[in-house]
Amino acid sequence: MDFRYSQDQLDLIDAAANVLSGENTVERLRAFAADPTTICKSENSLWQQFAELGLFGFMAPESLGGLAQPLEVMVGVAESAGYVGLPEPLIEVAGISVPLLNELGFEDELTAVALGELSVGVISALQTYQSNAHFHDSFLVAGAGVDNLQSRSSLKLTPCNSIDPLRQLTRVELALKQNALADRANLHGAVLSAAQLLGLSRRMIDMSVEYAKERKQFGKPIGSFQAIKHHLANAYTQLEFARPMVQLAALQGGVAVHNAKIAAIDTATLIAETAIQVHGGMGYTYEVDLHLFMKRAWALSAEWGDRNYHMRKLEQYLFTDGATLGASQTFS
Amino acid sequence: MNINFTQEQQRFRAEVRAWLADNVPAERLPSFDTAEGFELHREWEKKLAAGNWGNVNWPIEYGGRGLDLISWLIFEEEYYRADAPLRVSQNGIFLLAPTIMEFGSDEQKARFLPPMAAGDEIWAQAWSEPGAGSDMAAITSKAERDGDHYVITGQKTWSSRAVFADWCFGLFRTEAGSERHKGLSKILVPLDSHGLTRRPIAQLDGDPGFAELFFDEVRVPVANLLGPEHGGWGVAMATAGFERGLLLRSPARFQEAAARLVRLYQSHKHRLASGVGEQVVQAWMNAERFCAATYQLVARVQAGASISSESSANKLFWSEMDKHLHRTAMSIMGAQAELQEGLDAIDNGRWLDGYMFSLAGPIYAGTNEVQRNILAERVLGLPR
Ligand SMILES: Cc1cc2nc3c(=O)[nH]c(=O)nc-3n(C[C@H](O)[C@H](O)[C@H](O)COP(=O)(O)OP(=O)(O)OC[C@H]3O[C@@H](n4cnc5c(N)ncnc54)[C@H](O)[C@@H]3O)c2cc1C
């Protein structure tokens, strides 16, 4: 029993974090926000760097040239992607599509994805709204007859309008059933969206702490007021008790996933509200960067099952005779 | 105690209801934080004024009906029940007008109140500065006396709808060398004045709902001073009291939002977790409690009580209630919560807009942290 990342795992996570924070600056986000249709993989040097670092093959088997990393390590990468507000679907492709492509035996496609040449998204009953679908060449469609890969051009996608300026949102016009493949996609999707929410939360805390040190009122930094300190300390505490749950969910699956996603949703919601409060009037503008992270947090909160979906799963689990409860059952 | 409306009050309610039924636009107007929406809301203000419904509690000579605050509450109830447009004139009619009635000269009342009531002059508030938000006594913009004019130089910010409005009421340092709360004055300034530049600031939703105002030797007649020269702090505090205490947010707004929340819950119930129902009930209870407290407050005010520091509790209650109510709506909508107007956007994105605006509630009209300090120190008497 040693519930920590190993040094090798930490090195991988750090390497990914360095690439992400190096290039994906707020200026880059602002440029994309002005026109999210420009978020593409062609002439995208960051996407190329992901390929060079082996990030797309992060979870692919070694026999196919992958790094065969488990979901909990991907969680660390997803946190970094959240922290920088990455608009590209790195986490969806590497953390959800790749394991599923592997499972379904799409080896050629896997190779092309690993090189960064092909991008594959996932559509399931819980993911009928697609973010930046234009980025992908094709989609794994779960729960519409035979699970299969379909080209983007063969799908009917109707535009809708997300508050997140980095999400070009569309609705998938397909009737879908929840099936085994969709369940597996959802396991990865819920855990990795939770991990991104943790990263977004940390970013909003850091931005708020920075601001609270700089902004002066009544002749003092506002961070010296106890009210502000307590807001931020509460935010930090929520986050610290969400993170291990998300990592555990990646290791265990099952009910831990629902707990983890709800923890991440509640954490991100609270922290977004805290961050805007600490920023005062500044936080209510489009000019200050905070809103980019806040809006992404709202959007990711409902991906791969909203709060109700996960809460109902837990209610079903807990309020049934024979649920495993009490001490000594969390770990086996 | 008597909790029954008089027959006259009931007749008044029926009259308001009938007029609104005939006149409220069938479609919701576009946001008043846009140029187009602002003018459409101004048109609506004019229509209200033409029916003499804009300010029922104002004296008749200034464009009101001379009614009491209970009638105003009844009007508000009917207004929100009819889902009538938000009041684009709110800064004028709810904040400035009571201040003019208390501190203004007869000439000022006659000059400023009727066009405000008519929707011809729409007002913005120009208090905050980049360095003076919560700490408003740190205001540095100055108004120097030059004969029968003030010459104003400095910068204001976060002025709601000042991009489109006609006038602003500002707080400026009139006494050279004065510090903190002393030496400030409240001055009324036309927003198209020579030397005044307005820079729009986009709010969370991208609309230019704020303006930054740059004053470069803007000349205004001394007649535009409201209240005592150098005594602007007291005048401003009275305005803030009206804002926080009663007028800006009447219970009807939240009761109608809670009613819409109940309907939203009903239509999504089949997929919601069990605890959501309790949150919805909580939102409804909060709105009912706010209504009860407000009727009691109004009764006290009509009996001669003045609202002072306890207005901070009022502001805390409604802003936290509003945030909770809209957060609950967001969680009900699930994957549709992020949708703005367009395909699949429930109520055309109104809940999302409402949630974002509810996040501003604990910031404007004095932040909630500062309100808690005021309550703790001035009402509860805790040491500073
Ligand atoms: C939607 C909206 C509309 C507005 N409209 C107008 C308008 O029309 N006209 C106008 O003049 N202004 C307007 N404002 C500005 C508003 O009045 C200020 O934002 C507010 O006073 C806070 O000031 P600030 O933004 O500078 O925040 P700051 O004062 O910098 O506060 C930042 C944070 O520090 C906290 N803080 C500050 N001092 C203390 C303390 N002593 N103890 C504990 N915590 C403290 C605050 O509570 C807040 O959480 C508007 C703001 C918003 C959001």
Side-chain angles (χ1 to χ4, degrees):
Chain A
M1 170 64 81
D2 182 4
F3 183 30
R4 291 181 309 163
Y5 287 122
S6 71
Q7 193 54 51
D8 287 353
Q9 291 174 329
L10 284 176
D11 290 345
L12 277 172
I13 293 170
D14 280 351
N18 285 336
V19 174
L20 282 163
S21 59
E23 188 153 331
N24 193 54
T25 57
V26 175
E27 292 68 40
R28 186 175 190 265
L29 294 183
R30 288 204 165 265
F32 278 142
D35 180 6
T37 60
T38 58
I39 307 172
C40 304
K41 61 181 191 311
S42 65
E43 291 174 50
N44 185 331
S45 69
L46 191 56
W47 200 251
Q48 266 317 306
Q49 287 182 60
F50 294 156
E52 281 153 28
L53 204 68
L55 279 182
F56 299 119
F58 204 76
M59 296 186 73
E62 280 168 344
S63 59
L64 294 172
L67 297 173
Q69 289 301 313
L71 185 58
E72 64 271 21
V73 185
M74 196 68 203
V75 160
V77 179
E79 259 193 87
S80 297
Y83 190 85
V84 301
L86 182 71
E88 285 93 340
L90 165 69
I91 303 306
E92 292 79 351
V93 171
I96 309 170
S97 304
V98 162
L100 295 187
L101 285 171
N102 180 45
E103 204 174 304
L104 296 174
F106 287 104
E107 293 194 1
D108 294 346
E109 286 81 359
L110 252 178
T111 314
V113 169
L115 292 171
E117 287 163 4
L118 184 76
S119 181
V120 177
V122 175
I123 292 171
S124 76
L126 282 173
Q127 283 303 98
T128 49
Y129 293 104
Q130 285 286 324
S131 170
N132 299 330
H134 62 271
F135 194 97
H136 299 298
D137 305 284
S138 51
F139 291 87
L140 266 174
V141 181
V146 182
D147 295 329
N148 213 340
L149 209 50
Q150 296 189 19
S151 72
R152 174 164 50 92
S153 53
S154 70
L155 292 167
K156 185 154 189 272
L157 299 166
T158 318
C160 13
N161 195 354
S162 169
I163 185 65
D164 179 353
L166 292 158
R167 276 161 78 87
Q168 179 88 355
L169 210 65
T170 46
R171 187 179 73 190
V172 183
E173 308 294 345
L174 277 176
L176 297 168
K177 286 205 201 71
Q178 192 68 22
N179 65 3
L181 187 73
D183 281 344
R184 280 193 301 280
N186 196 45
L187 164 69
H188 286 218
V191 169
L192 294 173
S193 60
Q196 290 179 77
L197 286 169
L198 300 182
L200 286 159
S201 298
R202 182 70 216 196
R203 182 62 173 271
M204 291 189 278
I205 290 182
D206 287 356
M207 293 174 99
S208 304
V209 167
E210 260 334 284
Y211 187 74
K213 286 184 194 165
E214 275 166 25
R215 168 70 173 165
K216 288 204 173 94
Q217 285 288 272
F218 303 97
K220 294 181 210 161
I222 57 166
S224 68
F225 299 123
Q226 200 171 47
I228 295 294
K229 286 180 182 160
H230 285 188
H231 275 321
L232 289 169
N234 284 338
Y236 172 84
T237 305
Q238 276 251 3
L239 176 59
E240 289 309 298
F241 284 83
R243 191 184 294 108
M245 196 64 225
V246 174
Q247 292 168 2
L248 183 60
L251 286 150
Q252 266 183 345
V255 287
V257 175
H258 307 305
N259 188 342
K261 182 71 200 277
I262 292 170
I265 294 169
D266 290 352
T267 298
T269 306
L270 170 84
I271 292 179
E273 290 184 1
T274 302
I276 187 169
Q277 189 64 22
V278 170
H279 279 76
M282 284 285 175
Y284 197 68
T285 68
Y286 206 87
E287 295 179 357
V288 171
D289 301 327
L290 175 64
H291 80 99
L292 294 169
F293 300 91
M294 194 155 66
K295 290 171 181 171
R296 168 132 298 208
W298 296 337
L300 288 184
S301 288
E303 281 208 339
W304 302 102
D306 73 335
R307 196 178 191 284
N308 291 290
Y309 171 87
H310 292 288
M311 187 59 86
R312 280 171 67 124
K313 293 278 180 191
L314 290 181
E315 287 172 356
Q316 278 160 23
Y317 172 74
L318 286 176
F319 305 149
T320 307
D321 290 342
T324 326
L325 302 172
S328 84
Q329 45 69 40
T330 308
F331 297 96
S332 46
Chain B
M1 279 194 177
N2 172 7
I3 56 163
N4 299 315
F5 291 113
T6 62
Q7 279 199 341
E8 201 178 326
Q9 285 164 338
Q10 276 160 353
R11 258 199 313 277
F12 174 71
R13 182 188 293 284
E15 199 189 339
V16 178
R17 187 174 295 186
W19 188 86
L20 289 168
D22 290 342
N23 288 281
V24 169
E27 298 239 336
R28 276 172 68 73
L29 302 182
S31 161
F32 59 14
D33 293 329
T34 62
E36 184 208 358
F38 188 91
E39 286 312 316
L40 289 169
H41 280 79
R42 187 201 289 275
E43 289 312 308
W44 167 249
E45 286 294 328
K46 292 189 171 179
K47 196 168 194 178
L48 271 174
N52 199 19
W53 290 114
N55 300 283
V56 296
N57 58 320
W58 286 19
I60 293 167
E61 68 254 48
Y62 302 131
R65 290 181 177 240
L67 299 173
D68 65 3
L69 284 170
I70 298 287
S71 306
W72 174 71
L73 285 174
I74 293 171
F75 175 81
E76 287 275 299
E77 286 169 359
E78 293 305 317
Y79 194 83
Y80 281 99
R81 202 172 161 276
D83 208 6
L86 291 175
R87 302 297 297 270
V88 70
S89 58
Q90 56 183 273
N91 282 327
I93 60 175
F94 295 146
L95 310 187
L96 180 61
T99 318
I100 292 182
M101 289 184 207
E102 187 169 337
F103 295 93
S105 64
D106 288 343
E107 294 76 48
Q108 286 175 325
K109 290 178 191 164
R111 162 63 190 86
F112 292 113
L113 294 174
M116 187 192 299
D120 289 331
E121 291 178 354
I122 294 183
W123 288 80
Q125 180 184 18
W127 292 6
S128 304
E129 296 184 2
S134 297
D135 184 13
M136 214 168 65
I139 281 175
T140 58
S141 296
K142 56 180 200 269
E144 287 171 313
R145 198 66 187 257
D146 179 20
D148 53 4
H149 278 75
Y150 288 111
V151 182
I152 304 178
T153 300
Q155 183 186 346
K156 295 287 175 183
T157 192
W158 313 135
S159 188
S160 294
R161 294 175 294 285
V163 191
F164 314 114
D166 309 298
W167 280 76
C168 70
F169 52 101
L171 204 53
F172 304 97
R173 204 160 281 289
T174 39
E175 189 178 7
S178 65
E179 280 187 14
R180 306 293 299 161
H181 313 78
K182 304 198 185 90
L184 298 169
S185 299
K186 197 155 176 186
I187 301 174
L188 312 177
V189 187
L191 282 164
D192 61 359
S193 296
H194 183 73
L196 203 169
T197 312
R198 308 183 231 185
R199 185 183 76 91
I201 304 177
Q203 294 180 331
L204 221 46
D205 58 7
D207 289 339
F210 285 136
E212 210 166 10
L213 304 174
F214 300 92
F215 296 78
D216 182 11
E217 303 197 350
V218 173
R219 294 179 71 84
V220 251
V222 168
N224 290 10
L225 170 74
L226 180 61
E229 188 175 45
H230 312 326
W233 184 263
V235 183
M237 286 307 105
T239 306
F242 300 130
E243 179 176 23
R244 289 172 200 151
L246 181 60
L247 294 171
L248 189 64
R249 298 285 179 258
S250 73
R253 178 182 177 123
F254 306 104
Q255 291 180 297
E256 280 300 314
R260 286 193 294 114
L261 183 68
V262 170
R263 293 194 287 271
L264 180 74
Y265 172 76
Q266 298 281 25
S267 58
H268 290 259
K269 200 157 70 184
H270 60 280
R271 50 167 290 277
L272 299 177
S274 61
V276 179
E278 183 164 342
Q279 296 306 315
V280 173
V281 174
Q282 184 69 52
W284 173 84
M285 291 194 300
N286 288 343
E288 290 300 306
R289 291 172 197 171
F290 188 56
C291 181
T294 303
Y295 270 86
Q296 186 150 82
L297 178 69
V298 163
R300 282 170 46 216
V301 169
Q302 302 212 131
S306 66
I307 321 172
S308 60
S309 302
E310 76 259 33
S311 65
S312 294
N314 199 55
K315 197 259 156 168
L316 275 175
F317 191 88
W318 66 247
S319 57
E320 299 294 339
M321 158 173 70
D322 198 37
K323 215 162 93 167
H324 168 265
L325 190 155
H326 284 94
R327 191 196 298 123
T328 304
M330 290 289 281
S331 90
I332 290 174
M333 294 189 298
Q336 283 161 291
E338 70 175 290
L339 298 176
Q340 289 182 293
E341 77 283 9
L343 181 72
D344 282 0
I346 295 169
D347 249 346
N348 220 19
R350 186 172 181 182
W351 289 109
L352 173 63
D353 285 346
Y355 180 56
M356 290 194 286
F357 190 61
S358 79
L359 298 181
I363 300 171
Y364 64 80
T367 70
N368 284 10
E369 289 70 29
V370 171
Q371 303 316 308
R372 291 187 189 102
N373 287 342
I374 292 173
L375 281 177
E377 289 162 11
R378 293 190 213 153
V379 178
L380 299 176
L382 289 164
R384 272 185 182 259

